[in-house]
Amino acid sequence: MTTPFRRRDPQPIARGWEMAVAAVGGALIAVALAALVGLGLASALWGGGWVWPQGTETITHVLGGLLHGDPGRGLPPDQLRLVAGPIPVYACVAAAELALLTAAVITAVLVTRYRRPGDARGGMATHREAEQALGLRQLRAGRAVIRPDRYPATGSRGRLHRLLSTGGDAIRSRTHRSAQSASSRPTSPAPSTQASPIRTVKENPR
């Protein structure tokens, strides 16, 4: 007895929960990096210089200090003295997080609008391609084909075409007038070919 063939998924990370976990993890990493960027920017502008934690453990301690209202906690002493005050640090952190949120929303809108899976618009022409194919320039270039009665073709072929069409119209109008005159002519009775009978008078004998 043979076992039925099972089709393997070519993309093993296609399940819903795996995608959700990856998205949440990426969002948390982006938020943490934005907070560290805000800390470094505030220290560069209102402190002693740019600071950036080195190592995963240091990053974890610095993020914990930001969450508990103690910016710079976990940094080595040579970087701790460069950290700005709490107000500029949290203002720059908020600005960095807001910029991250704005970029994420714009990216999601663009992906949903133009790169959505199964979107029928993916095979449609863009506005520029449609303009090149059906724009005013193309219509003007093909006006002799679209409306030959208003825009006759130039050159010898155009003159020959106009000459033939004019001659054909004249012949058709002349034939039409001849047919109308023949149908409207009154008919007269044909002359009789029979000879009138000769009446003979018979003489009575006296």
Side-chain angles (χ1 to χ4, degrees), residues 114-203:
Y114 298 105
R115 293 292 181 268
R116 186 169 51 192
D119 193 355
R121 293 173 297 179
M124 297 180 66
T126 61
H127 185 274
R128 183 175 181 84
E129 293 172 347
E131 180 69 22
Q132 291 178 355
L134 304 173
L136 187 59
R137 182 180 302 176
Q138 295 296 329
L139 292 176
R140 286 177 177 174
R143 59 185 179 181
V145 179
I146 299 172
R147 291 296 302 273
D149 55 337
R150 295 192 58 183
Y151 305 100
T154 58
S156 59
R157 295 185 61 184
R159 289 194 295 269
L160 178 61
H161 179 72
R162 289 196 300 271
L163 180 61
L164 292 177
S165 61
T166 304
D169 293 339
I171 292 173
R172 285 192 296 270
S173 61
R174 187 171 181 179
T175 305
H176 184 66
R177 287 197 301 269
S178 300
Q180 283 185 348
S181 61
S183 61
S184 61
R185 184 178 300 169
T187 58
S188 58
S192 178
T193 56
Q194 295 180 356
S196 58
I198 300 175
R199 304 177 66 179
T200 57
V201 180
K202 185 178 180 181
E203 297 183 355

Side-chain angles (χ1 to χ4, degrees), residues 23 26 67 73-74 81 91 95 101 140 147 159 189 195 197 204:
L67 291 176
R73 189 183 70 181
R81 59 184 178 85
L101 180 61
R140 286 177 177 174
R147 291 296 302 273
R159 289 194 295 269
N204 294 326

